[in-house]
């Protein structure tokens, strides 16, 4: 299948590109390279484009027609929760404006298959150990709001033209499939702890008084290779899917606490120093763990890599690739 991937030069996008290329699919990337890098996707054409710029729709239509695109994977978005709180209007302009341009171009170019990168952030304050797709969606930050509004926009587009769409709600993505594709931004727990250890600073645990087994927050970590594989499975399902929009959680159904993760990182890094127990970070739900039953039963996908593989692959990548 000939696939266009927006944000394909990013950490998750580049893993999807790698798996598609390995199975012989044609891929073209649209990316503004604000956070992505060409070095992750050396053998794939990259059209540098700001999806919110004037003329972006026409540029997208041209790329879709020139490459005879059959499907779009839309990953391009701003994803920093703290930044979204400071700049909500910009986040809506970027994330919803970018998606709107992609959908308008698909309608004009007659491209009828879409994967939309959504997030567990749509669940916001909803907590629990088996959060299903039918759980309440109550985002607690503008980033999560843009992902939920994005899903609504995809549903409206599927009612407006011949579109088969799947939204994938990522839980906590971690690990690396290939060192050169690793996540460069220290925006989440595992890379943030790595960064502190590299700087000779002790790991920090934000909050130890949560109503969980060990008092620290619990999250559902899923290996980036499994996330990428889920995209290929979902893409292949679009052919048989009726016109419309399906939504799936991308998680493992297993929760791991911050303390367990930090201990695992210390083991892998050979660190035996102190760990700082700090006050809670505002806005953190105690436990966010997916029910991945729906995608498992409908598409046969499940996460195959465990948490140690995620930590070890990320640590090894950090200390091997230039
Ligand atoms: C996990 C836990 C922290 C750093 C994010 C975003 C969203 C989504 C999923 C894409 C929290 C704690 C962290 C540290 C710590 N991704 N922590 N010490 O907040 O669950 O979700 O990723 O859509 O982008 O919402 O992930 O990794 O930031 O935090 O104790 O040095 O680790 O307080 O409890 P989060 P996170």
């Amino acid at each position: 299948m000939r696939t266009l991937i927006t944000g394909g030069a990013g950490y998750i996008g580049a893993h999807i590109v790698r798996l598609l290329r390995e199975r012989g699919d044609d891929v073209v990337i649209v990316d503004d390279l604000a956070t992505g890098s060409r070095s992750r996707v050396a053998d794939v054409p990259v059209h540098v484009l700001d999806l919110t710029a004037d003329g972006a729709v026409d540029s997208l239509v041209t790329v879709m027609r020139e490459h005879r695109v059959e499907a779009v994977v839309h990953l391009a978005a701003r994803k920093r929760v703290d930044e979204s709180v400071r700049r909500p209007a910009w986040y809506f302009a970027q994330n919803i404006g970018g998606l709107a341009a992609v959908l308008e171009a698909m309608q004009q170019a007659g491209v009828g298959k879409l994967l939309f990168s959504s997030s567990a952030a749509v669940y916001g304050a909803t907590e629990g150990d088996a959060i299903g797709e039918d759980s309440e969606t109550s985002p607690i930050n503008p980033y999560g709001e843009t992902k939920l509004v994005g899903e609504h926009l995809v549903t409206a587009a599927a009612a407006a033209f011949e579109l088969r769409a799947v939204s994938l709600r990522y839980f906590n993505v971690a690990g690396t499939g290939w060192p050169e594709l690793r996540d460069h931004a220290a925006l989440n727990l595992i890379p943030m702890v790595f960064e502190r250890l590299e700087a000779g600073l002790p790991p920090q645990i934000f909050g130890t008084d949560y109503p969980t087994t060990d008092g620290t927050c619990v999250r559902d970590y899923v290996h980036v290779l499994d996330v990428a594989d889920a995209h290929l499975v979902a893409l292949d399902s679009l052919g048989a899917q009726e016109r419309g929009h399906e939504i799936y959680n991308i998680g493992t159904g297993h929760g791991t606490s911050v303390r367990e993760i930090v201990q695992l990182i210390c083991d892998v890094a050979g660190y035996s120093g102190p760990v700082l127990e700090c006050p809670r970070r505002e806005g953190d739900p105690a436990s966010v763990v997916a029910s991945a039953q729906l995608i498992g039963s409908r598409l046969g996908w499940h996460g195959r890599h465990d948490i140690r593989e995620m930590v070890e692959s990320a640590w090894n990548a950090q200390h091997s690739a230039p």
Side-chain angles (χ1 to χ4, degrees), residues 44-57:
V44 176
V46 178
H47 294 266
V48 182
L49 176 67
D50 173 355
L51 297 179
T52 63
D54 291 344
V57 172

Side-chain angles (χ1 to χ4, degrees), residues 2-79:
R2 293 184 295 276
T3 306
L4 185 160
I5 303 190
T6 71
Y11 158 56
I12 296 174
H15 281 85
I16 299 167
V17 169
R18 184 69 63 96
L19 292 188
L20 285 170
R21 296 289 296 131
E22 283 190 343
R23 76 172 192 184
D25 283 29
D26 291 321
V27 178
V28 58
I29 291 168
V30 167
D31 200 303
D32 66 4
L33 299 182
T35 55
S37 61
R38 282 181 190 273
S39 60
R40 289 192 175 114
V41 287
D43 64 334
V44 176
V46 178
H47 294 266
V48 182
L49 176 67
D50 173 355
L51 297 179
T52 63
D54 291 344
V57 172
D58 292 342
S59 300
L60 284 165
V61 171
T62 300
V63 172
M64 289 176 188
R65 286 176 173 159
E66 279 181 359
H67 292 269
R68 295 183 295 122
V69 166
E70 297 168 283
V72 173
V73 180
H74 180 56
L75 303 171
R78 308 292 169 196
K79 64 154 284 187

